[in-house]
Amino acid sequence: MLRLAARRFGAMILIMAVVSFILFLIFETDKLAVAGKVLGPYSSLEQRELWLEREGYNRPFLVRYGEWVTDALRGDFGESIRFKAPVADLLWPRLANSAILAGLVFLLMIPLSLLLGVLAGMREGSLLDRGLSFLSILTTSVPEFASAAFLVALFVFELRWLPGTSAMTGGFDWSQLVLPVAVLVLYDFGYVARMTRASMAEVMTSHYIRTAILKGLPRHRVVLRHALRNALIAPFTVIVLQLNWLLSGVIVVEVFFAYKGFGALLYDAAMFGDIYLIEACTMVAVFVAVFSQFVSDVGYTLLNPRIRFAGSTVR
Amino acid sequence: MRAPPEEGPVLACEGLCVSYFTRAGEIPAVVDFDLRIAPGEAVGLVGESGCGKSTVALAIMRYLGRAGRIVAGRIRFRGRDLVPLGERELRRIRGARIGMIYQEPMASLNPSMKIGAQLLEVPLCHRNLRRGEARERALEMLARVGLPDTRRIFGSYPHQLSGGQQQRVVIAMALLADPDLLLLDEPTTALDVTIEAGILDLVGDISARFGTALLYISHNLGLIRRTCDRVAVMYAGEVVEEGGVEEVFGAMRHPYTQGLFDAVPLPGSDRATRPLRPIPGRLPLPQERPRGCVFGPRCAHFRAGICDRRQRMEALTGGRLQRVRCARHGEIRRPPRGRSTGPPEAREPGAVMLEVRGLDKEYAVGDGPFTLFTGDGRRRIRANRKLDLLAREGETLAIVGESGCGKSTFAKVLVGLEPATAGRIRFEGREVAAAPVEKRERELVARLQMIFQNPFETLNPSLTVGAQIARVVRKFGLARGREEVRRRVFELLELVKLPREFFWRRPRQLSGGQKQRIGIARAFAGDPKLVVADEPVSALDVSVQAAVVELLTDIQRRRRTTLLFISHDLSLVRYLADRVVVMYLGRIVEQGTAEAVFTPPYHPYTEALLSAVPVADPAVVTRRIILEGELPSALEPPSGCPFHTRCPRKAGALCEEREPPEQRFGADHRIACHLPAEELARGATVFRDAGLPGFP
Amino acid sequence: MRRLRAPGPGEAASAATALRRALGSLRESPLAITGAAILAFWLAMAVLAPVLPLADPNLPLEPLRPPLSVGADGSTTFWLGTDIKGRDVLSRLIWGARRVLVWAGLATLAAYLVGIAMGLVAGYRGGWWDEALSFLANLLLSFPVMVLYIVVITRIGASPINIVLAVTFASAPAIMRIVRGLVLDLKTRDYVLAARTRGEGALWIMFVELLPNARGPLIVDACLRMGYTTIALATLGFLGLGLPPPDPDWGAMIAETQPMGAFAGHAMLFPALAVSSLVLGFNLLADGLREISLRD
């Protein structure tokens, strides 16, 4: 068990190292282009070379990479070209904003999708089951920007209940969070609900559920004690891995609603060519994705006694 | 504690009809089913797959799923009809008064709940016990079903137990509420035969001690004879014959029952005296069942005008309890069976085809060299250790043993699917141990072929039968050009007695037996000298099994091919093998001619194995030896003699420390055991003729 | 390369019956039928775009006309209105369908070719091949999809080919994992062992014994993936990273209208409906096919 966690942790570190190297390779091999970005398109060649020399860019590639990594590990990602401020100072508040968004999404999505999925899976083929099945296909078919367009048309233009942007220029405002959260929940809940349903339906037809029923246990006990725990293992990993998908959705939603989050920062950086900011944002995004993979692997093992106690047999 | 014995049967099914309702309409699974079980009685329900026997058990439990429904009849349990009961009332009967044991013990236990919690539910739910009392009872019951170290088992998860232990837990769970009736649906089919023997004994003891009535459901005639007082034989949803086990198995009247017996090999008879006779035709689909006698289309005694009417159960006259669903039962007599008169005809031993010397095979479980991304660590299994054996031209060499003995690994090494770790394999004088099949010459590959176990996997589902055989013909360079190849394929289809139309069929249109025939045709395409058959018939029903076995041995004998027949079925091995190799945990413990291996002196393991085989023939008496303990894991084999942990004749500490020497008895019989030769020779034969009257 | 199969005379006929059977079983699933109908509609629109009586999709006519309005010349009808630049929304939708179907199709195809090759080799060869390819897949999958698109496209530019490349990067690892899993299961089947015991080479085993028998789940996945790719292309368009303007792109149509959305709701809603319905078509078909394959 510990060995497995350690190995997964090792894999995570290795992935992060390789990703960072690839990013550095992609963005900083062409030194003159970097200087051009920093000094602006009208800088002369001499200015650029002077800048490269001063910033230590003429040292060997691997040395520069090593220095970049050590700085990054200390939380120093360099200075944003566009905002003329340390990347770290830009990054953390934006991350906090996105965390609020993602946290609310999870808070709503998890109970909703688990509840619907379990109820539908318990009665395969029932009206609820077919209804949920169709609803989730429908909602997962509408991309975030499209459902944002629908919701804005309805709640902003037609009903005028909610603001159409979430820039929060006048301070924190809950009402500005409603639409972004709704868009993300709509797109994501269907997938988790369907996984839960499938898992629950499979468990309910398993032989050990038959054993439990034929033991004469009351139905609520069969469902709560025997079915639920086994049925929730698969959705757990799906939910954790959903973080990876959510990050993609967050970018779209933040751009659509002009919400000052991490996704919008990455997008702006990419559109502007703000190299150091792109590098930092990408590393953070990859870290979140890889870490969620790690949590999901370890959690799966913890939830599944067959893996947790693999090898220890009573003989 | 127990209610005083009540009048009347525990269970009485009266005119029970069960149907499944699918998109194709109503499919009757059980028709007009009558059965009575008296308190303390053990009744067997026997039949091939698709006969409806499991549906009966599920109907008694009123657990038929949404598609299944009881369309007529009554199920009286202690006089009370279960059919109209609602869920709440059923809950007081299920698990409390009727317990059930299932085929797959692993699948029947909740993987994420500890054994203890699963056991406790029964007394907590059905008897108003306090937790402490319930726990006491559960622990007591674990001990009673013969499990060691009950506290540890109480606190472990199902996957930490072996299959036999899991089944004992399921039995303990069923017994905790002190039921009146136990339903056992193929309770030992997933277990090895020596483990099976222990479980059957346990259930028998418990039934005798508590007066629990038993309903055994099985395809295995021998198991029914060993465990039951009465038997009902089912075919296509109907009971065709019922009565006392000795009565029915000793003097069966229904042609189907007779057909079943003629299809299984029995000890005391062999190929020469009593060849297996398959039942012709195949089980009709439920919607294609004839209106008259359901067995009519396959029956040799079919008479128009009598058999095409609906058949009713009729009692035999003469004070017997036997009843038969056959209008002609008075006229049909079973011809007396042949009985072995001595050793089978000795055949001329041919040249040595295969010589295996000191073969070792180790492999790693787990995965690749760099395990960061694909999974977990690896451990090494020594699947074959120091194997020495010979096979001659035209001979059938059988390799027998239970799961994990390494017999299938040996087959894979032989045909080159896995490389050997050490040792030599000489085939027709050529060394092949180190050559994977990809590196072998085409001619060698064609001369050393294999038949596989699972009929449902043996053919590529995406290609037609013709395309698959034609590929072999081309690959072995046996024919060129479309016409010539096709002609060869037709010849091969003829060889396995299938019509030419099968050329255009797809695998999913074939029955299991037909698929195995194609597998045989494929293996014999290149005129092989050695064919390895790994459990080729163990997944087939007995009537089909007989046909495939007869076909395979017939081709093999005519072509003087060496057949390496790998099986766990000792009756079958006895029936067709010339020589036998017995394996246990990767080693050969005994080998010799079939005659020598099946008679004393025995290796203690062979002796136990033979004794564990349930025999259907009432004319045979088996000496019982029940092995204690579980099959050790192949990952951690015991030191010294691998069998010392379970051996009933263990000689002492020597067995744990030193590998046993190989002792020779006669020209071709070797036993690896520490016991002195005279001690081994003193053992009595396992099978004895009961000398029942009426059997020659 | 060697000829992998020798088609017999029965083959063509059996392929036809297989197709007929597939269509027949499709009929039993109302979901699949609905999905197939939606897809057929968009496919027809995409194919017929050049011959339909449509205005030039890039030609500015009269800005911000509502749906069903008649143009100033009194003869043209703007069925779905015009956008903020005065271009005909209906025409842009239909031409946009053509574009998204072509490029989503090509991108999915490319991802499948790469993913299947990787998955077959990793699953069948195992060992170091598997380790290396699984590592590569894990590496690519550790990027959130949209981050990968943004990094790749801002680096190499938003041309159609580059978008196909980016989709391949993002999708191939997932396909590889599915194929690898199927192959690991299938390669222990007796018919694969039988092929090995008659001395077949790795290519034959991968493409004749393994791949055709993995087709069921792969067809379902391909349908779903067409949906994902459609979403990805439209989202890239919305973010301004998609196929270059001025040719119509559903995502870009929404992005262009969004700032003025209050006045041109239709120019935002119709493309949103279009992309949603197309993806719904793929998802319904995939679900129906899965249901049918489970039934048999």
Side-chain angles (χ1 to χ4, degrees):
Chain A
M1 170 60 217
L2 262 178
R3 245 162 50 103
L4 183 128
R7 201 183 351 241
R8 291 277 181 266
F9 193 77
M12 180 174 117
I13 301 296
L14 183 63
I15 293 260
M16 292 295 298
V18 176
V19 167
S20 68
F21 187 75
I22 291 174
L23 276 181
F24 198 74
L25 202 68
I26 290 178
F27 285 104
E28 304 209 16
T29 311
D30 187 354
K31 292 183 281 191
L32 281 175
V34 177
K37 278 287 178 206
V38 174
L39 300 177
Y42 306 112
S43 52
S44 68
L45 193 62
E46 295 85 69
Q47 283 175 310
R48 292 184 189 188
E49 272 167 356
L50 206 65
W51 182 84
L52 284 175
E53 188 55 48
R54 196 179 37 162
E55 296 290 318
Y57 266 85
N58 291 333
R59 288 173 300 155
F61 182 79
L62 285 177
V63 173
R64 277 162 50 211
Y65 169 70
E67 190 181 85
W68 179 72
V69 169
T70 19
D71 284 351
L73 284 176
R74 268 192 252 115
D76 176 9
F77 293 99
E79 192 166 89
S80 159
I81 299 166
R82 183 179 175 203
F83 298 100
K84 305 280 182 251
V87 167
D89 295 355
L90 291 164
L91 199 57
W92 301 122
R94 290 291 197 114
L95 262 176
N97 284 348
S98 289
I100 294 172
L101 191 59
L104 284 173
V105 170
F106 272 0
L107 212 62
L108 286 170
M109 178 191 78
I110 293 172
L112 181 73
S113 51
L114 289 187
L115 187 69
L116 286 176
V118 165
L119 288 176
M122 260 169 64
R123 295 229 166 260
E124 221 185 332
S126 66
L127 201 64
L128 173 73
D129 181 25
R130 275 183 259 171
L132 175 76
S133 175
F134 183 74
L135 182 71
S136 55
I137 293 181
L138 190 69
T139 56
T140 42
S141 298
V142 185
E144 289 100 344
F145 65 89
S147 61
F150 292 133
L151 292 182
V152 163
L154 182 63
F155 292 105
V156 181
F157 302 152
E158 271 307 307
L159 300 169
R160 299 180 184 282
W161 287 355
L162 292 166
T165 60
S166 313
M168 311 240 178
T169 38
F172 187 80
D173 179 3
W174 284 103
S175 68
Q176 296 192 10
L177 273 171
V178 174
L179 286 180
V181 169
V183 166
L184 289 170
V185 170
L186 266 184
Y187 185 66
D188 282 344
F189 100 95
Y191 185 66
V192 179
R194 273 171 79 79
M195 287 299 278
T196 313
R197 186 212 91 97
S199 174
M200 187 70 184
E202 193 191 321
V203 166
M204 286 307 282
T205 55
S206 72
H207 286 194
Y208 58 83
I209 292 300
R210 181 180 71 185
T211 309
I213 293 173
L214 296 188
K215 260 193 223 177
L217 298 182
R219 187 167 174 81
H220 64 86
R221 195 172 169 89
V222 173
V223 171
L224 294 178
R225 287 272 293 166
H226 286 266
L228 218 49
R229 163 136 190 206
N230 291 296
L232 289 183
I233 295 176
F236 165 77
T237 57
V238 170
I239 287 172
V240 178
L241 294 179
Q242 201 69 4
L243 205 56
N244 191 332
W245 282 90
L246 194 63
L247 267 175
S248 295
V250 159
I251 297 175
V252 179
V253 166
E254 289 182 355
V255 170
F256 193 104
F257 291 103
Y259 182 76
K260 290 210 178 322
F262 165 78
L265 183 69
L266 170 62
Y267 174 74
D268 289 341
M271 297 307 270
F272 190 81
D274 197 340
I275 292 168
Y276 305 124
L277 196 50
I278 299 179
E279 286 169 353
C281 287
T282 310
M283 285 311 293
V284 169
V286 171
F287 174 76
V288 170
V290 178
F291 187 70
S292 63
Q293 175 79 51
F294 172 73
V295 170
S296 137
D297 285 350
V298 173
Y300 182 77
T301 321
L302 280 178
L303 288 174
N304 206 333
R306 267 157 102 164
I307 301 178
R308 190 164 23 130
F309 297 111
S312 65
T313 49
V314 182
R315 295 232 165 162
Chain B
M1 202 163 107
R2 220 183 146 74
E6 290 156 48
E7 290 298 307
V10 178
L11 183 83
C13 297
E14 294 160 10
L16 182 65
C17 296
V18 183
S19 291
Y20 289 103
F21 293 84
T22 67
R23 289 182 307 140
E26 178 179 349
I27 293 179
V30 173
V31 181
D32 190 22
F33 179 86
D34 290 315
L35 185 78
R36 296 163 81 81
I37 305 178
E41 194 183 22
V43 176
L45 213 51
V46 72
E48 296 180 281
S49 50
C51 73
K53 55 191 191 301
S54 291
T55 304
V56 170
L58 294 175
I60 293 170
M61 279 301 204
R62 292 279 320 279
Y63 186 79
L64 288 163
R66 249 177 309 155
R69 205 160 69 215
I70 295 170
V71 286
R74 278 183 293 202
I75 302 170
R76 289 182 185 280
F77 176 72
R78 290 236 174 261
R80 184 182 186 200
D81 190 3
L82 299 182
V83 177
L85 294 192
E87 281 293 320
R88 180 183 289 273
E89 290 151 310
L90 282 173
R91 270 208 309 268
R92 286 201 211 107
I93 292 183
R94 289 171 175 167
R97 314 210 43 201
I98 309 179
M100 188 153 175
I101 320 275
Y102 315 85
Q103 175 166 355
E104 297 279 349
M106 178 70 178
S108 341
L109 291 169
N110 190 330
S112 66
M113 253 171 106
K114 289 185 178 165
I115 299 288
Q118 300 192 49
L119 286 171
L120 281 184
E121 279 183 333
V122 178
L124 289 178
C125 172
H126 290 301
R127 353 193 103 219
N128 286 319
L129 292 187
R130 277 183 294 109
R131 235 188 140 68
E133 284 171 335
R135 196 183 141 85
E136 283 307 306
R137 262 188 72 82
L139 282 168
E140 200 180 300
M141 193 57 82
L142 282 178
R144 200 173 289 167
V145 295
L147 286 168
D149 204 357
T150 50
R151 269 166 212 287
R152 222 176 122 194
I153 286 185
F154 195 83
S156 45
Y157 287 98
H159 73 275
Q160 294 170 296
L161 310 185
S162 71
Q165 289 172 330
Q166 287 165 356
Q167 196 61 302
R168 282 172 194 265
V169 167
V170 176
I171 292 171
M173 200 152 75
L175 291 174
L176 265 172
D178 210 356
D180 301 319
L181 173 66
L182 269 187
L183 309 179
L184 301 107
D185 188 358
E186 303 270 9
T188 53
T189 306
L191 304 175
D192 276 315
V193 63
T194 56
I195 304 295
E196 169 183 83
I199 300 269
L200 296 183
D201 260 32
L202 169 72
V203 174
D205 282 352
I206 281 163
S207 162
R209 185 140 36 123
F210 299 103
T212 317
L214 304 175
L215 178 63
Y216 266 103
I217 291 163
S218 181
H219 67 286
N220 185 334
L221 297 166
L223 181 145
I224 297 290
R225 182 194 163 219
R226 177 175 277 192
T227 53
C228 297
D229 308 313
R230 285 196 303 122
V231 62
V233 181
M234 286 188 79
Y235 177 78
E238 296 181 359
V239 173
V240 294
E241 180 159 10
E242 69 162 304
V245 168
E246 301 291 319
E247 251 175 14
V248 171
F249 286 9
M252 60 222 67
R253 290 305 182 82
H254 197 281
Y256 174 67
T257 320
Q258 295 181 1
L260 273 185
F261 266 78
D262 289 342
V264 292
L266 301 171
S269 55
D270 56 47
R271 208 181 137 82
T273 51
R274 184 182 165 276
L276 299 186
R277 276 208 301 265
I279 302 174
R282 61 196 271 193
L283 182 74
L285 294 175
Q287 46 283 36
E288 293 165 357
R289 283 181 196 150
R291 287 185 51 237
C293 173
V294 281
F295 189 60
R298 305 175 70 183
C299 184
H301 306 282
F302 183 84
R303 288 274 184 290
I306 304 172
C307 299
D308 42 20
R309 277 172 297 158
R310 186 118 201 92
Q311 306 285 306
R312 285 208 316 259
M313 286 297 269
E314 288 177 26
L316 294 191
T317 50
R320 304 169 69 146
L321 294 170
Q322 207 168 344
R323 304 199 309 150
V324 185
R325 197 187 289 269
C326 175
R328 300 191 65 224
H329 70 81
E331 308 156 44
I332 302 168
R333 280 289 167 268
R334 190 164 185 245
R337 283 170 299 174
R339 204 141 274 288
S340 178
T341 43
E345 19 99 56
R347 283 186 299 136
E348 199 65 18
V352 172
M353 290 300 302
L354 177 76
E355 188 183 354
V356 177
R357 285 277 165 260
L359 182 75
D360 265 34
K361 171 62 187 170
E362 269 187 24
Y363 59 88
V365 273
D367 34 31
F370 178 64
T371 53
L372 274 175
F373 296 96
T374 44
D376 282 76
R378 46 213 265 117
R379 291 193 279 175
R380 301 194 76 74
I381 288 189
R382 291 184 71 180
N384 288 162
R385 306 176 73 173
K386 299 185 191 154
L387 302 191
D388 280 327
L389 56 88
L390 285 181
R392 294 172 189 281
E393 186 183 13
E395 165 179 85
T396 301
L397 175 67
I399 300 183
V400 294
E402 297 175 284
S403 52
C405 75
K407 53 191 195 297
S408 293
T409 305
F410 174 61
K412 284 187 179 157
V413 172
L414 203 55
V415 295
L417 289 172
E418 301 268 355
T421 312
R424 289 185 311 156
I425 300 174
R426 289 182 82 76
F427 170 66
E428 291 189 300
R430 271 181 287 195
E431 179 57 48
V432 297
V437 64
E438 287 82 3
K439 297 241 167 70
R440 293 182 182 181
E441 308 148 43
R442 187 169 79 177
E443 186 224 338
L444 171 63
V445 166
R447 289 167 79 80
L448 176 49
Q449 273 294 299
M450 180 150 175
I451 299 167
F452 293 88
Q453 175 175 10
N454 190 340
F456 302 98
E457 290 186 357
T458 198
L459 300 180
N460 184 338
S462 303
L463 298 179
T464 60
V465 167
Q468 302 195 44
I469 305 180
R471 175 67 191 176
V472 183
V473 170
R474 281 177 203 275
K475 188 81 197 164
F476 291 163
L478 305 169
R480 266 170 235 289
R482 270 245 307 265
E483 281 316 303
E484 207 189 327
V485 167
R486 182 170 298 182
R487 205 163 38 75
R488 285 299 291 253
V489 175
F490 285 152
E491 281 168 22
L492 285 165
L493 284 174
E494 208 171 298
L495 179 73
V496 293
K497 302 199 169 72
L498 289 175
R500 290 185 169 194
E501 292 90 84
F502 275 71
F503 189 95
W504 293 277
R505 297 258 170 101
R506 300 220 161 232
R508 93 185 109 72
Q509 299 166 291
L510 270 54
S511 71
Q514 289 165 340
K515 286 181 192 169
Q516 271 326 52
R517 283 163 190 258
I518 304 294
I520 293 173
R522 194 171 56 186
F524 279 92
D527 207 5
K529 294 310 290 176
L530 174 68
V531 169
V532 183
D534 185 5
E535 305 262 11
V537 294
S538 61
L540 303 174
D541 271 319
V542 287
S543 60
V544 184
Q545 203 171 25
V548 174
V549 165
E550 286 304 305
L551 177 79
L552 174 62
T553 50
D554 191 50
I555 298 173
Q556 175 240 341
R557 268 155 215 245
R558 272 193 285 133
R559 299 194 166 195
R560 281 188 70 74
T561 316
T562 308
L563 180 65
L564 210 73
F565 192 88
I566 293 171
S567 180
H568 69 280
D569 183 343
L570 284 145
S571 310
L572 193 57
V573 163
R574 161 112 210 203
Y575 174 78
L576 56 76
D578 301 310
R579 293 181 59 249
V580 177
V581 170
V582 183
M583 287 182 70
Y584 186 76
L585 288 179
R587 296 176 201 242
I588 295 178
V589 294
E590 179 169 4
Q591 63 174 309
T593 62
E595 184 62 26
V597 170
F598 284 93
T599 52
Y602 299 115
H603 186 282
Y605 175 64
T606 315
E607 192 177 12
L609 201 58
L610 281 173
S611 133
V613 180
V615 176
D617 189 347
V620 173
V621 176
T622 311
R623 194 158 51 87
R624 294 287 184 86
I625 302 160
I626 302 292
L627 292 184
E628 299 287 323
E630 300 294 319
L631 201 62
S633 156
L635 278 170
E636 296 145 31
S639 58
C641 171
F643 189 53
H644 80 78
T645 55
R646 301 167 77 202
C647 184
R649 301 173 72 184
K650 186 172 159 187
L654 185 65
C655 298
E656 296 168 24
E657 289 156 9
R658 296 258 295 279
E659 293 191 6
E662 208 171 54
Q663 308 187 44
R664 287 180 174 273
F665 295 84
D668 189 6
H669 187 200
R670 285 180 283 167
I671 297 176
C673 185
H674 284 298
L675 285 177
E678 49 280 16
E679 173 82 22
L680 282 173
R682 218 176 292 145
T685 173
V686 169
F687 299 119
R688 200 159 46 76
D689 202 313
L692 285 187
F695 293 96
Chain C
M1 211 177 103
R2 265 183 301 171
R3 236 174 85 196
L4 288 180
R5 60 190 283 173
E11 294 270 297
S14 74
T17 49
L19 186 68
R20 211 173 311 132
R21 215 181 29 243
L23 288 178
S25 52
L26 207 59
R27 215 175 301 139
E28 287 166 24
S29 163
L31 286 189
I33 283 295
T34 318
I38 295 174
L39 293 184
F41 168 77
W42 282 117
L43 214 58
M45 288 297 120
V47 171
L48 298 177
V51 296
L52 289 174
L54 294 170
D56 181 338
N58 295 333
L59 186 71
L61 302 165
E62 301 162 46
L64 290 179
R65 299 299 306 263
L68 293 177
S69 57
V70 179
D73 59 0
S75 62
T76 41
T77 312
F78 302 119
W79 295 103
L80 299 181
T82 58
D83 68 3
I84 48 173
K85 289 188 181 154
R87 298 170 297 194
D88 184 39
V89 171
L90 178 66
S91 171
R92 285 182 74 72
L93 270 192
I94 289 175
W95 282 96
R98 190 179 168 88
R99 213 178 182 204
V100 77
L101 279 173
V102 166
W103 290 109
L106 281 177
T108 309
L109 187 70
Y112 255 85
L113 290 180
V114 175
I116 283 178
M118 284 171 69
L120 280 176
V121 172
Y124 184 63
R125 288 273 176 201
W128 283 101
W129 281 101
D130 190 16
E131 292 294 339
L133 289 170
S134 291
F135 179 75
L136 190 64
N138 273 326
L139 196 65
L140 287 168
L141 286 174
S142 65
F143 286 88
V145 193
M146 209 35 76
V147 175
L148 186 65
Y149 285 141
I150 290 176
V151 168
V152 171
I153 290 171
T154 51
R155 208 44 218 172
I156 61 180
S159 75
I161 295 301
N162 288 351
I163 284 173
V164 168
L165 210 64
V167 170
T168 308
F169 269 128
S171 295
I175 297 164
M176 175 259 183
R177 279 195 175 176
I178 295 172
V179 175
R180 177 180 173 271
L182 290 166
V183 166
L184 283 181
D185 174 29
L186 290 175
K187 81 172 184 181
T188 61
R189 299 285 162 100
D190 285 348
Y191 59 82
V192 178
L193 298 183
R196 288 183 57 204
T197 50
R198 65 168 183 263
E200 299 287 3
L203 272 184
W204 171 280
I205 290 179
M206 286 194 274
F207 287 98
V208 180
E209 309 287 344
L210 296 173
L211 191 55
N213 295 310
R215 65 179 185 265
L218 289 184
I219 290 171
V220 172
D221 180 73
C223 267
L224 286 176
R225 210 156 287 281
M226 277 296 290
Y228 291 145
T229 310
T230 306
I231 291 184
L233 293 193
T235 304
L236 287 176
F238 171 76
L239 292 177
L241 295 164
L243 302 166
D247 281 344
D249 179 292
W250 290 349
M253 286 166 76
I254 295 177
E256 287 157 10
T257 318
Q258 196 205 347
M260 317 227 359
F263 311 103
H266 64 274
M268 194 163 87
L269 288 182
F270 288 121
L273 266 179
V275 65
S276 304
S277 70
L278 180 58
V279 177
L280 183 66
F282 285 121
N283 286 351
L284 285 176
L285 185 62
D287 199 64
L289 288 177
R290 184 191 297 128
E291 200 180 300
I292 290 164
S293 69
L294 285 182
R295 228 185 260 157
D296 295 336

